[in-house]
Amino acid sequence: MVDQDPKTPRERYRAQVREEIKEHAWEQIATAGATALSLNAIAKQMGLSGPALYRYFAGRDELITELIRDAYRSLADTFRATTAASGTASPDLTALAHALRDWALADPHRYFLIYGTPIPGYHAPDDTTAIAAEIMATLLDACAALPDYAPPVPFDAHLAEHRQWAGDHPAPPAVLHRALTVWTRLHGLLSLEAAGQFTGMGFDPARFYEAELHDLLRGGPVGAADGKPRSAAAG
Amino acid sequence: MVDQDPKTPRERYRAQVREEIKEHAWEQIATAGATALSLNAIAKQMGLSGPALYRYFAGRDELITELIRDAYRSLADTFRATTAASGTASPDLTALAHALRDWALADPHRYFLIYGTPIPGYHAPDDTTAIAAEIMATLLDACAALPDYAPPVPFDAHLAEHRQWAGDHPAPPAVLHRALTVWTRLHGLLSLEAAGQFTGMGFDPARFYEAELHDLLRGGPVGAADGKPRSAAAG
DNA sequence: TGTACATCAGTGAACGCGCGTTCACTGATGTAC
DNA sequence: TGTACATCAGTGAACGCGCGTTCACTGATGTAC
């Protein structure tokens, strides 16, 4: 959002046109998907000649790289803003989940650019992993703030020995497990909804999302307030 | 797998070449993704001229349509075979879940062709919805065979009034809910794993899948055998 | 304030490429008598 | 069994298209004196 101190008018102009190119790129991705991204098409849409864009991006790959980076940063910023807005020390999982859904559905192709089918022959730049780690850390913080709700399961023990992905986050294995679960379950819902797999099925995806979220919070204040805690069935 | 009664040698040959084309198409999709599918490239790979393929498919779109249909049918067949192999009346959810994972990871791009980012400007043929319904019905059967494990939640009531997608399946709302949950949770794991999002994180995706599956079966025989059922946390 | 020069945004032509698709054709395979 | 004909798989040339990218260039903008 904020330009990094463009001093001269020319630098300001450059940054501005770069942004404009990226905006048109996003429009194009929203219409035809990421694989259909075409420099020439963007140029035409902007009333420019094809080669003109090479003043701003070294090529198609650099543009896509930049878009991926922006997408990651956008989600990280959203999470950061959500955390800040809560006013509490650690982020609220419910608020994060809602922010995630809003963010994903606002531009499904942007969501898929990060979490969807990988673009053939392309792989994300290295520095995105740092941003992805920040996103994950926020999720871990939110999960760490929830009350315990279940005895350890075998997978927790496995995670205790395979926690590289969590960096130096001090969360215990059960919290690692919970954060992963939040990620994959919400992604399952969002990716199917964004892909249009729920259309025509009849139910309201938002309510389903809410139900999954409640289940993830089970044992916490929201889950406890919502209804009786689940009990094991009689065998 | 089985040709539909090709009587004359010519018909047999046609069916055979059609299959061969599709096999090369799958190889190409596995390499470069569905959007990169090219008739000319397939022809070249088969040692044929480009236009030759038009003897077998009306065009690129018809080929893709056929591939999507085959993918759906393949998954439906896998589920059917799994059900049949169990020997019981209704399918076993654990067996289905394992069959699903094997099927998805055997060819991730085939999985994404069905459940992944939609191909821009393309939509699946109508008759696939029937096959998708069959897949869903198998899942419903498996869930219906599980013991109840939880009191109704608000979303169940919503589902009771929005159950078009379940056709005339007699399952009660709680079972509908459970089947949807199985679908979205397993998809969340599989799509992220197939997209390579877990690589470098350290943990074993198979164990995570197993943990989610156990959680889905909670209250049933497997979950009960595995450990104590989860209880609500002390507020 | 005015002139001389450097910077740089943008153009138009051109490159080679691969795509889907059509068309008129050749030549092999199968069919009918 | 042999000939005449029809069917149809596959070819090669051609169509128009859009792609990414390069290159030498024009012309406007900014800078230095």
Side-chain angles (χ1 to χ4, degrees):
Chain A
M1 294 276 173
V2 176
D3 297 337
Q4 49 271 29
D5 53 69
K7 305 199 201 291
T8 77
R10 260 196 178 142
E11 279 171 331
R12 219 186 308 272
Y13 180 79
R14 265 189 75 80
Q16 194 175 317
V17 175
R18 263 181 83 97
E19 279 311 308
E20 202 176 332
I21 291 171
K22 290 201 269 181
E23 277 167 31
H24 282 94
W26 282 120
E27 281 172 27
Q28 203 169 303
I29 284 180
T31 305
T35 49
L37 220 190
S38 148
L39 288 189
N40 286 322
I42 293 174
K44 193 169 296 177
Q45 207 176 344
M46 290 177 68
L48 288 180
S49 214
L53 298 203
Y54 285 78
R55 289 272 160 202
Y56 302 93
F57 293 95
R60 198 187 106 107
D61 274 14
E62 192 186 287
L63 176 56
I64 294 187
T65 298
E66 192 69 16
L67 294 176
I68 292 180
R69 226 192 306 266
D70 284 3
Y72 271 109
R73 256 201 287 260
S74 168
L75 179 54
D77 288 349
T78 300
F79 270 21
R80 209 196 310 257
T82 304
T83 303
S86 78
T88 57
S90 39
D92 173 42
L93 186 55
T94 304
L96 285 184
H98 288 145
L100 174 63
R101 183 161 189 270
D102 290 345
W103 185 86
L105 299 183
D107 188 346
H109 279 95
R110 180 180 54 181
Y111 182 77
F112 281 126
L113 192 60
I114 297 185
Y115 293 118
T117 318
I119 301 177
Y122 189 86
H123 75 282
D126 288 344
D127 57 336
T128 56
T129 60
I131 315 180
E134 184 196 326
I135 294 170
M136 205 66 210
T138 309
L139 226 51
L140 281 167
D141 287 340
C143 290
L146 296 174
D148 292 343
Y149 71 123
V153 294
F155 184 58
D156 293 7
H158 174 72
L159 274 184
E161 294 169 0
H162 300 86
R163 47 181 302 155
Q164 302 99 294
W165 57 276
D168 52 2
H169 200 286
V175 170
L176 300 185
H177 185 178
R178 207 171 188 181
L180 279 184
T181 304
V182 166
W183 180 33
T184 60
R185 289 189 188 172
L186 296 186
H187 168 73
L189 275 167
L190 288 178
S191 62
L192 288 173
E193 180 178 5
Q197 294 277 353
F198 293 159
T199 56
M201 290 189 74
F203 65 84
D204 180 3
R207 294 196 198 214
F208 191 12
Y209 194 81
E210 228 49 48
E212 276 297 82
L213 185 53
H214 275 132
D215 196 66
L216 283 164
L217 294 165
R218 187 178 18 128
V222 176
D226 178 56
K228 299 136 254 159
R230 300 196 168 180
S231 61
Chain B
M1 293 277 174
V2 176
D3 298 336
Q4 48 272 28
D5 53 68
K7 304 200 199 296
T8 77
R10 261 196 179 142
E11 278 171 333
R12 222 186 307 272
Y13 180 78
R14 266 188 73 80
Q16 194 175 316
V17 176
R18 265 182 80 97
E19 280 311 308
E20 203 176 330
I21 292 172
K22 290 201 269 181
E23 276 167 31
H24 281 93
W26 281 119
E27 281 172 27
Q28 203 170 303
I29 284 181
T31 306
T35 49
L37 221 190
S38 148
L39 288 188
N40 287 320
I42 293 174
K44 192 170 296 178
Q45 207 176 343
M46 290 176 69
L48 288 180
S49 216
L53 298 203
Y54 284 78
R55 289 272 159 203
Y56 303 93
F57 293 96
R60 199 186 105 107
D61 274 14
E62 193 186 287
L63 176 57
I64 295 186
T65 297
E66 191 71 16
L67 294 176
I68 293 180
R69 225 193 307 267
D70 284 2
Y72 270 109
R73 257 200 287 261
S74 167
L75 179 54
D77 288 349
T78 299
F79 269 21
R80 210 197 309 258
T82 304
T83 304
S86 78
T88 56
S90 40
D92 175 41
L93 186 55
T94 303
L96 285 184
H98 288 146
L100 174 65
R101 183 160 190 270
D102 291 345
W103 185 85
L105 299 184
D107 188 347
H109 279 95
R110 181 180 54 179
Y111 182 78
F112 282 126
L113 192 61
I114 297 185
Y115 293 119
T117 317
I119 303 177
Y122 189 86
H123 75 283
D126 288 344
D127 57 335
T128 55
T129 60
I131 314 180
E134 184 194 328
I135 294 169
M136 205 66 211
T138 309
L139 226 52
L140 282 167
D141 287 341
C143 290
L146 297 174
D148 292 342
Y149 71 122
V153 293
F155 184 57
D156 293 7
H158 175 73
L159 274 183
E161 293 168 0
H162 300 86
R163 47 181 302 156
Q164 303 99 294
W165 57 276
D168 52 2
H169 199 285
V175 171
L176 300 185
H177 185 177
R178 207 171 187 181
L180 279 185
T181 304
V182 167
W183 179 33
T184 60
R185 288 190 189 174
L186 296 186
H187 167 73
L189 274 167
L190 288 178
S191 63
L192 288 173
E193 181 178 4
Q197 293 279 351
F198 292 159
T199 56
M201 290 189 73
F203 64 85
D204 180 3
R207 294 194 198 214
F208 191 11
Y209 194 80
E210 227 50 49
E212 276 297 82
L213 185 53
H214 274 132
D215 196 66
L216 284 164
L217 294 165
R218 186 177 19 127
V222 175
D226 178 58
K228 299 136 253 157
R230 300 197 169 178
S231 60

